[in-house]
Amino acid sequence: MADEKGLTQSILVVGGGISGLTTAVEAAEAGREVFIVEKRPYLGGRVAQLNQYFPKLCPPSCGLEINFRRIKQNYRIKLFTMAEVETVSGEEGNFDVTIKLNPRYVNENCTACGECAKVVTSEIPNEYNYNMDKIKAAYLPHDMAFPMRYVIAPEIIGTEEATKAKEACAYDAVDLEMQPETVDLKVAAIVWATGWNPYDANSIENLGFGKVPNVINNVMMERLAAFDGPTGGKIIRPSDGKPVESVAFVQCAGSRDENYMPFCSHICCLASLKQTTYVREQIPDAKVSIFYIDIRALGKYEDFYTKVAADENVSLIKGKVAKVEADPASDQILVEAEDIYGGTKSQAKVDLVVLATGMEPSTATDKVPTDVAYDESGFIVSETPGIYATGCARKPLDVATANRDATGVALKAIQSSVRR
Ligand SMILES: Cc1cc2nc3c(=O)[nH]c(=O)nc-3n(C[C@H](O)[C@H](O)[C@H](O)COP(=O)(O)OP(=O)(O)OC[C@H]3O[C@@H](n4cnc5c(N)ncnc54)[C@H](O)[C@@H]3O)c2cc1C
Ligand code: SF4
Ligand code: SF4
């Protein structure tokens, strides 16, 4: 798409989570051509992996589907999945970008009939469920995936199984000869919307993650409660499938701590309050303990906090957790914390521990391939003309705020395409 001087007016959006999708549809509906580059095989980002999302506690599909429909209806949006930006050069109004497309081994003929998966027996870790279960090596990433198209995992390429998958496909959709490709684009503005990763709880020494059975993090808890999750939505102990009668949430797990992540992720208090409602609705007698330093539920979210806190089966204990360890006398978990209000040490014995880990920007490890500035935690702070960051690539945000941020950035990107 070019202006009257022949200069590009197109916009590149990197990351197809809620922030990137919002910028893309807003800019496209204002008349700009938009390229979305998403590294996973599907759009929706981390929101697609939630069970429900506040404030309304609706399933993620209700917010995402509207955007998918707007994308389908808009010929100005071009979508690249399993893709990443390799190089960026040029300047505001005139960037050259190289995109690498990784092979899906399934083309656009795919009807998602699932016949290829029936003949494949090999399994790979299920990234959608945070590796809590496995998925066939010919797979649809999840039931509501957009685009609704299967993937053949590279792990089986060159094997007899891949050939069987090809033979099972009546639509000539399996293409085992697909190779990585490079696409060159000219764009006027670039929006970096690559979001966040859950902070790696393995690196927190005292909280038992990866060492003590049934200690999980908050993103895993979303999948444990989801109907399409590893347990079909049953909140049970991941280690042995036994019922859960007591849960402890450990707030600020690795957050607001100079040894790990110094900042507050703004969302994980609300996430634990939300997940408390998952437990209490599903298991009527379950007891929930929330260990916190401060509860951060600002603005309109205060009411949600008040409602959850009023539940007599929910205890809020102000105190930093010192230790999470297996109980030597049972198959439960011991959580030891200071009890600031009680002036004592507090100990809970529970079936499941959920670490409320924070949101680390994906740019902490995966940098923009051109010159932009970051803060000490890796969030993009750059005001490089023509390159913008939005959503959780810029700061930890909830969905509603990310939407507003991304809408504003669509305007900024459009301005970059006319400022010359
Ligand atoms: C446990 C938990 C529960 C939450 N629950 C709620 C809730 O109930 N309500 C609410 O409002 N918010 C909730 N949030 C916050 C919510 O998840 C974020 O607001 C939202 O994910 C922000 O979207 P985003 O698009 O900025 O980032 P993301 O969702 O992370 O999307 C980024 C996208 O970019 C892609 N990407 C990453 N790197 C690259 C790359 N190099 N190239 C191409 N693509 C790339 C990713 O694959 C992803 O699709 C929760 C957060 C946590 C931790
Ligand atoms: S690749 Fe073929 S067999 Fe597999 S789901 Fe798609 S159409 Fe069906
Ligand atoms: S939102 Fe709550 S749990 Fe998360 S870092 Fe901030 S205070 Fe800690």
Side-chain angles (χ1 to χ4, degrees), residues 250-253 255-256 263-270 272 292-296 356-358:
V250 177
Q251 298 310 112
C252 299
S255 296
R256 303 171 67 199
F263 60 91
C264 167
S265 278
H266 166 78
I267 225 73
C268 19
C269 279
L270 287 158
S272 294
Y292 69 97
I293 307 175
D294 305 288
I295 289 287
R296 299 208 162 147
T357 42

Side-chain angles (χ1 to χ4, degrees), residues 42-221:
Y42 61 94
L43 299 184
R46 301 272 171 204
V47 171
Q49 292 171 281
L50 299 177
N51 172 39
Q52 296 174 344
Y53 70 118
F54 50 73
K56 291 190 185 156
L57 298 188
C58 47
S61 53
C62 67
L64 290 172
E65 290 232 313
I66 297 165
N67 283 305
F68 297 157
R69 203 171 329 127
R70 288 165 82 186
I71 289 176
K72 276 191 218 158
Q73 285 165 354
N74 200 316
Y75 69 93
R76 293 192 183 92
I77 300 179
K78 314 269 179 325
L79 175 61
F80 300 105
T81 49
M82 303 185 74
E84 282 178 77
V85 176
E86 277 197 326
T87 61
V88 173
S89 58
E91 59 195 2
E92 181 178 33
N94 191 22
F95 289 108
D96 287 298
V97 182
T98 316
I99 313 288
K100 184 182 171 208
L101 308 182
N102 294 306
R104 182 188 275 264
Y105 302 108
V106 173
N107 63 32
E108 283 167 13
N109 295 344
C110 179
T111 61
C113 70
E115 290 302 315
C116 53
K118 288 186 188 157
V119 298
V120 166
T121 50
S122 293
E123 293 184 319
I124 56 166
N126 187 356
E127 171 269 327
Y128 181 67
N129 283 339
Y130 293 102
N131 301 339
M132 284 192 282
D133 61 356
K134 293 199 162 183
I135 194 168
K136 291 272 188 80
Y139 65 99
L140 188 65
H142 64 95
D143 291 348
M144 306 295 286
F146 180 85
M148 178 83 44
R149 210 189 314 162
Y150 271 61
V151 183
I152 309 283
E155 287 85 339
I156 61 163
I157 295 301
T159 69
E160 224 168 86
E161 282 204 279
T163 313
K164 276 195 206 158
K166 185 174 170 57
E167 287 165 358
C169 181
Y171 301 92
D172 204 17
V174 176
D175 176 358
L176 300 176
E177 305 306 316
M178 255 185 211
Q179 297 294 324
E181 271 178 61
T182 302
V183 175
D184 296 322
L185 300 175
K186 260 200 185 302
V187 293
I190 299 173
V191 177
W192 216 261
T194 51
W196 59 279
N197 292 317
Y199 183 71
D200 180 10
N202 286 296
S203 63
I204 312 168
E205 274 166 24
N206 55 332
L207 299 184
F209 189 83
K211 296 181 254 228
V212 178
N214 305 315
V215 176
I216 61 174
N217 66 15
N218 51 6
V219 290
M220 293 162 86
M221 184 62 178

